[in-house]
C-alpha cells in the first residue's frame, strides 16, 4: 500500500512528539529521586548510611543491610516500588539536607534525628525509631557506669560529633575528648586501651559491637543520655508523600514487620530498643 508524502511526514511528527514526551517524563523522574505524580514508577532513590552495621551498611559484595534498609524497603513497597526498583545512595550526615533539596534522593532513611534546625530545611515522616546517646566500653571494664565516670578518662567520637561534646560540656567536663575520623578507629582505640569509651547513639554502637570481629570485646553502658527520634527526611512541602510514608510506617508497626526488623538487626547485640514511637510528624 502506498503512503502519501504528507501522511508519512505526519507519522514522523507524531513519533517524534511521543519520543520527546517519553524523554521528558524520564528526566522528571530522575530529577526528583523517583517517579512522581502520573510518571512511570521506574525506581525510587533512597539515601542511607553505608558504614553503620545494624542500621545502614553496604557490604563488600554490594548488598545493603540494616534496620534503616529494612524500613526503607518496606516504605518503598507501600509506595509502589519492588526491592529491585530501589536505588540506595550514600547519605553522609553533612549532606542529607542537600541530597533532598537537590532532588538527588526521594527519601533519606539514615539515623536522621528529627530536630527544629533540620525541619527548617526538610520535612520528616515518623519518627520510626527512638534512639538514645550511650557509651560503649570494654567488656571487662567496670569503672564506667555513668557519664560522670568519664572525668579524667579518654572519650572517643568521630570528628565534629555533637555526641561527644554533649558529654564533655554537660556531664563530664574533665573528660579527655579524642576525635577520630570514624567509629571504626574509635573501636580500635577502645580495644587497644588508647581510649576508655566511645559515644554516639546506642543503636549505632550496638551495631558495631554485634559485628563478628567485635563480639565479646565491648558492652553498652546502657545509658540514655539524650533522646534521638529517627525520622525519614523528604522534600519540604511534599505533604502527599509525607502522609503516604507516615501511613506506611504505621502499617509496618501494626503488622509486626517493625518488631521483626528490630529483632533481626539489634538482637545480636542484646540492644534493648524502645517500643515503636508514635508517628507525630505532619499531624
Amino acid at each position: 500500500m502506498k503512503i502519501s508524502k504528507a501522511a508519512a511526514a505526519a507519522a514522523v511528527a507524531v513519533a517524534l512528539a511521543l519520543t520527546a514526551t517519553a524523554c521528558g517524563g524520564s528526566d522528571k523522574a530522575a530529577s526528583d529521586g523517583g517517579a512522581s505524580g502520573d510518571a512511570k514508577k521506574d525506581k525510587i532513590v533512597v539515601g542511607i548510611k553505608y558504614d553503620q552495621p545494624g542500621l545502614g551498611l553496604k557490604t563488600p559484595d554490594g548488598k545493603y543491610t540494616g534496620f534503616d534498609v529494612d524500613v526503607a524497603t518496606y516504605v518503598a513497597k507501600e509506595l509502589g516500588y519492588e526491592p529491585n526498583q530501589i536505588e540506595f545512595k550514600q547519605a553522609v550526615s553533612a549532606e542529607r539536607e542537600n541530597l533532598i533539596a537537590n532532588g538527588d534522593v526521594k527519601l533519606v532513611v539514615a539515623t536522621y534525628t528529627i530536630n527544629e534546625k533540620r525541619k527548617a530545611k526538610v520535612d520528616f515522616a515518623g519518627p520510626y525509631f527512638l534512639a538514645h546517646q550511650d557509651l560503649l566500653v570494654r567488656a571487662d571494664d567496670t569503672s564506667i557506669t555513668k557519664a560522670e565516670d568519664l572525668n579524667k578518662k579518654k572519650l572517643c567520637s568521630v570528628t565534629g560529633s555533637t555526641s561527644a561534646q554533649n558529654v564533655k560540656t554537660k556531664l563530664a567536663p574533665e573528660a579527655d575528648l579524642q576525635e577520630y575520623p570514624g567509629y571504626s578507629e574509635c573501636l580500635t582505640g577502645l580495644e587497644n586501651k588508647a581510649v576508655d569509651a566511645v559515644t554516639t547513639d546506642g543503636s549505632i554502637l550496638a551495631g558495631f559491637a554485634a559485628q563478628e570481629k567485635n563480639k565479646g570485646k565491648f558492652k553498652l553502658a546502657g545509658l540514655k543520655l539524650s533522646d534521638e527520634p529517627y525520622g525519614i527526611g523528604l522534600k519540604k512541602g511534599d505533604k502527599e508523600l509525607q502522609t503516604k510514608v507516615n501511613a506506611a510506617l504505621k502499617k509496618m508497626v501494626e503488622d509486626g514487620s517493625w518488631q521483626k526488623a528490630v529483632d533481626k538487626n539489634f538482637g545480636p547485640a542484646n540492644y534493648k530498643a524502645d517500643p515503636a514511637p508514635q508517628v507525630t510528624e505532619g499531624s
Side-chain angles (χ1 to χ4, degrees):
M1 182 176 68
K2 291 184 178 180
I3 301 175
S4 68
K5 290 183 179 180
V12 171
V14 170
L16 289 172
L18 289 173
T19 301
T21 301
C23 290
S26 297
D27 289 343
K28 183 179 188 302
S31 68
D32 65 0
S36 60
D38 295 326
K40 185 180 178 182
K41 291 184 176 180
D42 292 324
K43 68 175 182 179
I44 184 170
V45 185
V46 182
I48 62 168
K49 292 293 180 69
Y50 277 15
D51 60 351
Q52 293 181 345
L55 285 153
L57 183 70
K58 184 177 182 179
T59 60
D61 58 359
K63 294 180 180 178
Y64 303 93
T65 66
F67 180 72
D68 280 353
V69 174
D70 290 345
V71 170
T73 302
Y74 187 99
V75 169
K77 187 171 184 179
E78 291 300 304
L79 295 177
Y81 300 92
E82 294 302 317
N84 63 359
Q85 293 177 292
I86 304 172
E87 178 185 329
F88 288 116
K89 188 178 182 72
Q90 186 173 24
V92 298
S93 296
E95 288 299 316
R96 289 177 294 201
E97 286 86 18
N98 290 335
L99 288 171
I100 294 170
N102 295 338
D104 296 322
V105 299
K106 194 75 170 177
L107 304 170
V108 167
V109 192
T111 59
Y112 203 4
T113 298
I114 301 169
N115 61 39
E116 292 305 315
K117 183 178 179 180
R118 289 170 178 163
K119 286 170 70 171
K121 298 178 181 179
V122 301
D123 279 340
F124 285 95
Y128 64 90
F129 191 81
L130 182 60
H132 306 280
Q133 186 181 343
D134 202 350
L135 302 174
L136 191 71
V137 298
R138 287 182 291 277
D140 61 354
D141 189 341
T142 58
S143 67
I144 301 174
T145 58
K146 57 186 182 298
E148 290 80 0
D149 292 335
L150 289 169
N151 283 312
K152 307 292 187 182
K153 292 183 180 288
K154 292 180 179 179
L155 172 66
C156 187
S157 196
V158 297
T159 303
S161 166
T162 57
S163 299
Q165 294 295 342
N166 285 343
V167 174
K168 185 169 175 59
T169 58
K170 298 176 182 178
L171 301 170
E174 295 179 44
D176 181 6
L177 178 59
Q178 307 284 310
E179 293 185 294
Y180 290 3
Y183 290 112
S184 295
E185 290 89 342
C186 277
L187 263 68
T188 299
L190 184 61
E191 183 178 4
N192 297 336
K193 299 187 177 182
V195 299
D196 300 301
V198 182
T199 188
T200 187
D201 296 352
S203 53
I204 298 172
L205 295 173
F208 281 110
Q211 284 185 297
E212 194 63 38
K213 63 181 180 181
N214 294 327
K215 283 184 177 178
K217 295 179 181 178
F218 312 115
K219 65 182 179 183
L220 288 166
L223 307 180
K224 293 184 177 181
L225 304 176
S226 68
D227 291 334
E228 307 292 339
Y230 293 166
I232 296 181
L234 49 97
K235 201 156 195 174
K236 196 159 184 65
D238 195 340
K239 298 301 180 186
E240 181 181 357
L241 180 60
Q242 184 185 48
T243 299
K244 289 180 178 179
V245 175
N246 277 336
L249 293 175
K250 291 175 182 177
K251 183 178 178 181
M252 188 177 186
V253 173
E254 290 165 0
D255 69 14
S257 299
W258 185 90
Q259 189 60 52
K260 287 180 181 178
V262 166
D263 294 342
K264 181 183 80 172
N265 292 292
F266 299 125
N270 295 318
Y271 176 73
K272 302 295 189 293
D274 282 21
Q278 193 78 23
V279 171
T280 55
E281 293 301 305
S283 59

